[in-house]
Amino acid sequence: MTNSNDSWPKLLQRTLPNDGSTAQGTAAQSLGVQAAPSLPRRPSRQLYQPHQWVESSVSMTSLSAGLSDLPMDSRQQKRQSACQLPAESHGTRSISPSIDDRPPTTDRIAAFVLDIPDGVRNMTQHPNSFMVGSVAITVTKPTKAHRIKLSFVGQQRVYLRDGRSQAPLPSSANFDYTMFEKHLALWGADIEDDSSAGNETHTLMPGTLRVPFSIKLPRVNYPSTIKRDKTCRVRYLIWATLERPGTFKDHTLSTHKEEIYFEPWAYPTRPREVMRISNTVYGTPDTPTAHLAVEVTGGTLLLPAEAGDRIMYKLDARTKLDEKAATDGQPLPDVDSYVVRFMRLHIVEKLKVRGLIKGREQTQIYRNSIHSVTLVPNKSTPGMVSNSKSTFSSNGYIRLPLDMCPFDSKHLKRTYELRVECDVVDKSSLLDKMMRHKSTYSMQVPLEICTISPDKFDKATYQNAYTDETRNISSITPLPHHKDPAEPWIFADGWELEKSFVKWDRFNPVWIELARKHST
């Protein structure tokens, strides 16, 4: 069959060596293979006429027959075989799996989580508390492992600065102390087994294994959970670890570390009573009012107090002449021309840090204001907090924060103070802000905070006199602070949740969760 010159591309045209004539065909035709039927030229499309049909002189039957005779490479054969599905008879199941039967992940370990109920994780733990939880692992293939280990660690870190250093910047160091560190094998080989049996491997079958656990805290006042930048940090962490054998060393996979908030018990040492304040605060030599002093009198009610309680106060502040400065022979300022303009109360957190720097034990104190309130003078205009009288008098209450808890550990001690601040200004400069000079006088008084309400005891109780069984403090033994080591207990069960195993299939909860994520 002879083809026209325009039916084949120039790339497929070959020149005969004898007469130089050109023949159309392929390499298969030159080897004697029967040539494929010629294809019609594709007609050019006409623009802006998308709905017009273009007629062809070749029928679809002859075209499909010609295409079936063309050689097919291996990739086209695989693609065509993959597209062909076996015919299904009525009542028979398809050989190809459905979407629900296909695993949503190919990872060997699909999930490894530490699950602690919200009622335990969101609650504050105290001495003698009981915590529960579970560890769940989901594997898609048989997996060899040594053990699943649960860890519960209590750590505290303190920061110290060497103030005696001659360097431009004082050297600082942080010290880490471990209060306790407990581990338990929830599955697999025992941790305390030093023999070869402790390194033997076990097989996790495909599915979800859930192992419950429980933790019993001892009757010991560990330090409260706290974090202060460049000062201290106390935290309690729970996590689980999967230990798997490796070629050169074992491989470990850990869950997220769950932090537990702990708060010790703080018993009151006396009943609620009035704490009287009568103090004179002297000025510093560098201030314009160095020869003046501020006398603060009054008191506070309902102390000792619990975190979140209200403290009633009644304070009076006035300026007076410094008796020590009166003997210097220098001209003394007019006391009546100075007034206490503003007055503030601060709840101060006092942290006492102990540690060793260069082989010497050092103690440093950090103070941080955690709550403050500006006092309003009595019989003043609503909204006015400034004073222009000779005596600043104010009474009211201040609300304590909820996260207050004193403690005393081996290297860290936290107490609280009540700071009173007074701003002294000259009366003549009240109308001129540019010429106004302010001097601040401050004083601190100890503030006793407890976690056991003092209302459960009366005055006779603190004198070791018998009243009744519920209000006698002699029958209650205060917990010792963290002086001697004491560790919690960890159990592999201990609550209503039991050890369970769910097979790895489309009914597995992890399977359903991963399939839902992939579908979205």
Side-chain angles (χ1 to χ4, degrees):
M1 179 172 54
T2 304
N3 299 330
S4 62
N5 295 334
D6 297 334
S7 62
W8 290 93
K10 294 182 179 181
L11 179 63
L12 299 180
Q13 296 178 4
R14 60 185 179 87
T15 304
L16 299 178
N18 297 330
D19 54 357
S21 61
T22 304
Q24 293 80 16
T26 61
Q29 291 175 343
S30 62
L31 297 177
V33 182
Q34 184 180 359
S38 61
L39 298 177
R41 175 183 294 182
R42 185 176 182 180
S44 61
R45 296 182 179 178
Q46 298 180 3
L47 298 178
Y48 307 105
Q49 295 180 0
H51 300 288
Q52 293 184 1
W53 292 92
V54 180
E55 297 182 357
S56 176
S57 59
V58 182
S59 63
M60 295 301 298
T61 305
S62 61
L63 180 61
S64 60
L67 291 176
S68 61
D69 296 335
L70 291 177
M72 184 182 302
D73 56 357
S74 59
R75 293 185 179 179
Q76 293 178 349
Q77 293 177 0
K78 291 182 180 179
R79 190 181 299 111
Q80 183 176 359
S81 61
C83 295
Q84 295 178 357
L85 298 178
E88 295 185 16
S89 59
H90 182 70
T92 60
R93 185 178 180 182
S94 175
I95 299 177
S96 60
S98 62
I99 299 178
D100 294 338
D101 293 336
R102 297 175 182 175
T105 180
T106 57
D107 297 336
R108 180 178 293 272
I109 300 177
F112 185 39
V113 295
L114 173 68
D115 186 15
I116 297 180
D118 294 339
V120 178
R121 184 177 62 253
N122 301 333
M123 296 294 292
T124 301
Q125 305 300 324
H126 299 280
N128 208 26
S129 295
F130 191 76
M131 299 183 297
V132 297
S134 62
V135 177
I137 182 172
T138 302
V139 296
T140 60
K141 305 174 185 178
T143 304
K144 293 184 178 181
H146 292 304
R147 63 183 63 87
I148 298 177
K149 180 177 65 175
L150 181 70
S151 302
F152 183 33
V153 179
Q155 300 173 342
Q156 61 175 330
R157 170 179 290 184
V158 296
Y159 296 87
L160 289 174
R161 293 184 178 181
D162 188 7
R164 299 174 301 174
S165 177
Q166 301 298 329
L169 296 177
S171 59
S172 60
N174 57 298
F175 303 91
D176 295 331
Y177 303 97
T178 301
M179 295 174 288
F180 59 85
E181 184 175 358
K182 296 292 292 182
H183 304 281
L184 177 67
L186 299 179
W187 176 88
D190 194 1
I191 301 177
E192 300 178 355
D193 193 355
D194 298 333
S195 61
S196 59
N199 295 326
E200 64 180 358
T201 59
H202 302 266
T203 303
L204 286 168
M205 300 307 296
T208 299
L209 175 65
R210 183 175 294 273
V211 183
F213 67 87
S214 57
I215 299 177
K216 181 68 167 59
L217 296 178
R219 191 179 170 86
V220 174
N221 269 353
Y222 294 119
S224 176
T225 302
I226 183 176
K227 182 180 180 181
R228 300 291 183 266
D229 293 338
K230 298 301 180 181
T231 303
C232 62
R233 185 188 66 187
V234 179
R235 59 180 183 176
Y236 302 89
L237 302 175
I238 302 177
W239 73 93
T241 306
L242 174 65
E243 298 181 1
R244 299 173 56 194
T247 305
F248 299 100
K249 63 177 182 180
D250 293 344
H251 303 288
T252 59
L253 177 63
S254 301
T255 63
H256 71 284
K257 294 184 178 181
E258 192 74 35
E259 185 171 0
I260 302 299
Y261 187 84
F262 181 83
E263 186 178 274
W265 295 121
Y267 284 85
T269 58
R270 55 187 176 89
R272 295 185 189 269
E273 57 185 7
V274 178
M275 183 181 68
R276 301 189 179 276
I277 299 176
S278 179
N279 196 0
T280 301
V281 185
Y282 299 95
T284 58
D286 300 335
T287 59
T289 58
H291 298 82
L292 294 178
V294 176
E295 183 181 7
V296 181
T297 58
T300 58
L301 300 177
L302 303 179
L303 287 179
E306 289 184 273
D309 286 350
R310 297 191 306 175
I311 298 179
M312 309 296 296
Y313 65 86
K314 182 179 181 181
L315 298 174
D316 298 330
R318 65 181 182 88
T319 58
K320 72 174 186 176
L321 187 64
D322 189 356
E323 300 176 355
K324 298 179 182 179
T327 60
D328 295 343
Q330 299 180 0
L332 300 178
D334 187 8
V335 179
D336 296 335
S337 62
Y338 290 89
V339 295
V340 178
R341 186 66 172 174
F342 299 98
M343 200 171 181
R344 294 178 297 274
L345 288 181
H346 294 268
I347 305 297
V348 180
E349 179 188 55
K350 180 181 177 182
L351 296 172
K352 187 176 182 181
V353 179
R354 306 181 185 93
L356 295 176
I357 293 183
K358 297 180 181 180
R360 297 180 180 180
E361 183 177 357
Q362 295 189 10
T363 302
Q364 296 180 3
I365 296 177
Y366 301 90
R367 286 182 171 90
N368 179 32
S369 177
I370 58 177
H371 183 59
S372 63
V373 60
T374 302
L375 305 187
V376 179
N378 295 334
K379 300 180 181 180
S380 63
T381 306
M384 295 293 293
V385 295
S386 59
N387 174 55
S388 59
K389 300 179 181 179
S390 59
T391 303
F392 191 112
S393 300
S394 178
N395 58 345
Y397 66 90
I398 180 173
R399 176 77 66 177
L400 297 178
L402 294 174
D403 57 348
M404 299 177 64
C405 179
F407 62 85
D408 184 8
S409 66
K410 186 179 298 183
H411 305 280
L412 183 62
K413 181 180 180 180
R414 180 168 69 177
T415 54
Y416 297 94
E417 294 177 344
L418 179 65
R419 180 193 299 170
V420 182
E421 289 186 355
C422 301
D423 293 343
V424 178
V425 298
D426 190 358
K427 286 183 179 180
S428 60
S429 63
L430 292 179
L431 299 178
D432 189 0
K433 296 183 179 181
M434 300 299 296
M435 300 299 294
R436 185 181 304 174
H437 296 283
K438 180 183 68 174
S439 300
T440 302
Y441 294 76
S442 62
M443 57 169 288
Q444 291 89 13
V445 293
L447 184 62
E448 184 177 354
I449 303 297
C450 56
T451 57
I452 304 298
S453 177
D455 296 337
K456 298 181 179 180
F457 315 102
D458 54 13
K459 188 175 181 179
T461 302
Y462 292 92
Q463 297 176 356
N464 295 327
Y466 176 78
T467 54
D468 54 51
E469 295 182 357
T470 60
R471 300 174 63 86
N472 188 6
I473 197 173
S474 60
S475 63
I476 299 178
T477 304
L479 296 178
H481 289 289
H482 181 62
K483 298 296 185 181
D484 300 329
E487 297 181 349
W489 297 274
I490 305 180
F491 308 95
D493 49 10
W495 59 304
E496 60 271 12
L497 185 64
E498 298 181 356
K499 184 177 180 180
S500 61
F501 178 79
V502 180
K503 187 179 178 182
W504 179 246
D505 53 14
R506 60 177 178 168
F507 300 104
N508 191 292
V510 179
W511 183 303
I512 298 174
E513 181 180 359
L514 294 178
R516 185 182 295 112
K517 290 181 179 180
H518 289 304
S519 62
T520 56

